[in-house]
Amino acid sequence: MKSYSLSRQDPAADGRPDWNAVTPLTDFIFPWTDREPPATTFHACLLDDDFHFRFDVEDKDIVLGNSPNNDDNVLGSDRAEIFFAADPDLNEYYCFEIDPRGLVFECRMQHYRKMDDSWSCPGLEVVAFLTSNGYQIDGQLPLQTLRDLKVLKSSSPEIIAGVYRAEFSHEGEYEIAEDWISWIDPETDTPDFHVPASFGRFILPQ
């Protein structure tokens, strides 16, 4: 299982991390497409009593969903995704999918693909904006929320997590091509992030 080490930053006056001091995660791939993916950079750290994360996404053809339903809007868009699991078998895990506008699809899941999309995560904060070559997403979650969800455990030095990206593009006048980027290749025959093999470990600072 691949791992990514989290750092802990000193309390900040503005409550924001110094992202230049945080190790980037950049080894993202197209598991189901034989080509180089556009760049995705992920950062995460602990600051004060919160887990902070950031995506910097290269995307020259941004697709945005156009639905009156928030969830359908997000699921029809380019987006970055972070999942947290309470256990390695995914008996309970949590999905956060965030589009370039900062709209969020969040749900509580059980393996396999048993979804509660009425669930709302306490304390989640997200902002997003377009950049010159794509979009950026910044988010944070209270550490107490991760404890309550049994994602963060006093008995474990790690968090089970997955980091992903939906990479959509316009194909002709009306068609949308869907592709999928992941930190880890789950080695499934068809695109699927909802399997234990797509998750890695965030190593907590000691």
Side-chain angles (χ1 to χ4, degrees), residues 48-188:
D48 298 328
D49 295 319
D50 296 300
F51 172 90
H52 289 257
F53 63 93
R54 170 173 163 173
F55 288 92
D56 291 283
V57 174
E58 178 187 300
D59 193 338
K60 298 178 181 178
D61 179 15
I62 293 177
V63 174
L64 297 176
N66 184 22
S67 169
N69 178 274
N70 179 83
D71 291 353
D72 291 341
N73 226 339
V74 178
L75 298 177
S77 299
D78 280 298
R79 59 193 183 273
E81 307 179 5
I82 182 169
F83 294 4
F84 296 105
D87 63 89
D89 296 322
L90 308 189
N91 291 307
E92 189 126 43
Y93 64 108
Y94 306 90
C95 307
F96 304 91
E97 307 187 19
I98 308 158
D99 82 358
R101 296 164 291 195
L103 299 178
V104 183
F105 172 73
E106 53 193 313
C107 64
R108 178 167 47 199
M109 302 282 292
Q110 292 180 310
H111 192 63
Y112 175 68
R113 289 183 176 269
K114 298 174 182 176
M115 178 188 298
D116 175 9
D117 58 6
S118 67
W119 177 76
S120 181
C121 183
L124 175 67
E125 297 182 22
V126 170
V127 294
F129 54 89
L130 299 180
T131 64
S132 59
N133 66 343
Y135 59 96
Q136 178 181 317
I137 291 168
D138 290 88
Q140 66 185 77
L141 275 166
L143 294 178
Q144 187 58 52
T145 294
L146 295 179
R147 294 186 190 99
D148 293 342
L149 299 177
K150 298 182 172 55
V151 168
L152 180 60
K153 304 178 177 71
S154 59
S155 60
S156 176
E158 61 192 31
I159 294 172
I160 301 170
V163 190
Y164 319 99
R165 175 178 162 189
E167 169 49 28
F168 292 178
S169 56
H170 295 93
E171 194 170 77
E173 188 173 357
Y174 301 108
E175 297 297 319
I176 299 296
E178 299 182 355
D179 218 331
W180 309 93
I181 293 173
S182 179
W183 170 33
I184 295 170
D185 184 354
E187 299 184 358
T188 58

Side-chain angles (χ1 to χ4, degrees), residues 3-5 7 18-28 40-44 54 56 183:
S3 64
Y4 171 70
S5 294
S7 60
D18 175 7
W19 290 116
N20 291 323
V22 179
T23 301
L25 178 65
T26 60
D27 55 337
F28 289 86
T40 306
T41 303
F42 174 79
H43 296 79
R54 170 173 163 173
D56 291 283
W183 170 33

Side-chain angles (χ1 to χ4, degrees), residues 32-44:
W32 301 282
T33 303
D34 186 19
R35 61 187 174 96
E36 286 293 317
T40 306
T41 303
F42 174 79
H43 296 79

